[in-house]
Amino acid sequence: MAITVQDFLDEGAERLSLSVIAGEEFLDNKLLEIAMNRPGLALTGFFQYFADKRLQIFGLAEFTYLKSLTEKEKRKRLQGLFEQQIPGIIITRNRKASAEILELAEVFKVPVIRTPMVTMNFVNESTVLLEKLTAPRERIQGTTMEVMGVGVLLRGDPGIGKSETALSLIERGYSLVSDDVTEIRRTSRGRIVCWANEITRYHMEIRGLGIIHVPSLFGVASIRRQTELDVVIDLKPPSGDEDRTGVHPDTVELMGVEIPCITLPVRSGRDMANIVEVAALNQKLKELGHDAAKELDDKVISRLTRGRVSHG
Amino acid sequence: MVDDILTKKFKVINEYGIHARPAALIVRAAGKYECDIFIEKDGNKVSCKSIMGLMTIEGYPGSTMQVSASGTDAQEALAEIEELFVNKFYED
C-alpha cells in the first residue's frame, strides 16, 4: 500500500515542523518511492533518470540557482519540473515560495510544504521517518521490557502474570516499553522493533490496583520509548514437558523474523522477574558467542566418548 | 480439536465510547469464562481480557466492533459481552 503526502505530514508535522502553504487539496498524492530528491539537475532542464515519484526538495542551492535565471527562463524551468507529475514539494529553511511555484502547484495539483529545517537535517530525519512509516507493522498481545539492553517480550494468557513480572523488573531498575499490547514493526535490517500504543503508553494495569502511570511512580529511567526485540518469553502454567537443558532452543516467528523463544512455567512463589532477568542475560551471552548449555553438553559428550567426538 | 469461532458485531452506543470503565466491565465479563475472546476493529485485534488492549482499540462512540469467541463457554461469554454493549455499559 502506497503512502500519501498526507501520511508523511501526519507523522512528521511536529517533528519536522511541516506546514502546508499550497495545494492542500492534493495531499492525497501517492509517494511511490520512499525517498527525497533534490531537483537541481531537473531545473537545468535535464530530465533523464529524474526521480519523479519522490518528494522534491527545494533548498538553498535550488533557490540560488533559480535566482540566477531570467524571469521567463525561471518560469519555463519550473513548469518543466511540475510537468513531471511530482507528488509534492518541500521547501526548506522556511524560504518564501515564489508566486510561480504557488501558481504552478495549483495548476499541476502538487502540494507545497515548508519546513524551517536546513536541507541536510531534513533529508536525514525524513528518510528515517519515511522508512518507519512504510515498515510493515502489527499489534500483538504481550508486555515488552528492556533488560540490560536486551529487548524482552513477555507473552502468556491473561492473568498469568505478565504485568506483575514486568513490575518486578521495573523495581529492579529495568525499563518498561509497553504493557499488554505491543506494536511491532520490521526494520529494513530485519530486526523487530517494539513500542507502545500512543494512548496507553507507559501505563500498566495491575490486578487489584488498576491502572498506574509508571514514570510518575518509578521515574523516567523506568521507561523506554522503543526497543529492538531479542528474546520472546512465554509464561505458561506448568506442564511438565519444559525444556530442562536449553540445548535445543526454540524460536518463534514474528513478521517473518525468527526470534529466540523461551517457555517459562509459572508456579506460585517462583520469582519470575529473577528468571526473566537471567534469561535476558543468558541471551546476551549467547549473542556474544557463549552458549552455556551447548558448551556443557559438548564437554559431557567428549568425556563419554573418551575424546572420539569433540564438538566445535 | 479446534473449537468453532463465534463472531458477533456490536455497535458502541454509549456517550464516551470504550474508555476505562467500559473496558474494565468487558474484561471482568470475559475473565469469567474459559474461552478465548477477542475484539477487533480496523484490523486491530486484542483480547477482551486485556484492559490495555481494550483501551488501545479506539472504540469511538458509533463505531462497530467485532467480537469473536472460541471455546466451551464461548456462547455465554458472547452473550454477556453483548449485554454490556446493548445496555451502554450501564452508563448515563
Side-chain angles (χ1 to χ4, degrees), chain A residues 163 167 170 176 179 200-206 209-218, chain B residues 52:
Chain A
S163 300
L167 192 60
I170 291 168
L176 174 80
D179 179 40
T200 53
R201 179 179 290 160
Y202 308 144
H203 287 83
M204 282 182 94
E205 192 238 340
I206 302 292
L209 288 183
I211 293 166
I212 59 168
H213 186 236
V214 173
S216 303
L217 291 171
F218 299 99
Chain B
M52 289 316 219

Side-chain angles (χ1 to χ4, degrees), chain A residues 138-141 157-158 179-181 183 197-200 202-205 207 211-212, chain B residues 20 27 36 38 41 43-58:
Chain A
E138 264 176 35
R139 179 179 292 179
I140 56 171
Q141 203 86 37
D157 288 337
D179 179 40
D180 217 16
V181 178
E183 312 274 344
N197 178 279
E198 220 172 292
I199 306 169
T200 53
Y202 308 144
H203 287 83
M204 282 182 94
E205 192 238 340
R207 260 149 231 257
I211 293 166
I212 59 168
Chain B
V27 169
D36 287 327
F38 293 94
K41 182 184 156 257
N44 283 319
K45 189 174 171 184
V46 297
S47 170
C48 280
K49 298 179 181 179
S50 159
I51 287 251
M52 289 316 219
L54 284 162
M55 283 168 68
T56 52
I57 196 99
E58 301 183 356

Side-chain angles (χ1 to χ4, degrees), chain A residues 136-190:
Chain A
R137 49 175 67 194
E138 264 176 35
R139 179 179 292 179
I140 56 171
Q141 203 86 37
T143 295
T144 310
M145 295 289 304
E146 194 180 275
V147 179
M148 289 168 291
V150 179
V152 180
L153 174 67
L154 297 166
R155 301 193 305 185
D157 288 337
I160 194 92
K162 297 183 294 281
S163 300
E164 286 77 2
T165 305
L167 192 60
S168 306
L169 287 166
I170 291 168
E171 282 177 329
R172 281 164 196 257
Y174 306 123
S175 316
L176 174 80
V177 177
S178 62
D179 179 40
D180 217 16
V181 178
T182 296
E183 312 274 344
I184 58 173
R185 68 167 191 272
R186 196 181 66 224
T187 69
S188 53
R189 292 181 298 127

Side-chain angles (χ1 to χ4, degrees), chain B residues 75-87:
Chain B
Q75 191 97 48
E76 293 88 333
L78 215 52
E80 191 164 338
I81 304 273
E82 177 168 23
E83 204 178 302
L84 291 173
F85 272 91
V86 172
N87 291 299

Side-chain angles (χ1 to χ4, degrees), chain A residues 8 31 33-44 46-62 81 84-92 119 122-124 126-127 130:
Chain A
F8 175 71
L31 298 177
E33 272 181 19
I34 305 309
M36 301 282 157
N37 185 55
R38 295 199 69 168
L41 266 183
L43 287 175
T44 68
F46 185 75
F47 285 108
Q48 227 171 332
Y49 302 116
F50 175 61
D52 59 349
K53 294 179 178 60
R54 303 181 185 177
L55 283 173
Q56 307 293 325
I57 298 186
F58 275 63
L60 193 58
E62 284 76 10
L81 178 72
Q84 304 291 314
Q85 297 186 323
I86 50 178
I89 285 182
I90 311 269
I91 294 175
T92 57
T119 311
F122 178 78
V123 171
N124 291 347
S126 55
T127 305
L130 278 174

Side-chain angles (χ1 to χ4, degrees), chain B residues 20-32:
Chain B
R21 211 186 68 93
L25 287 175
I26 294 173
V27 169
R28 193 181 302 159
K32 283 193 276 184

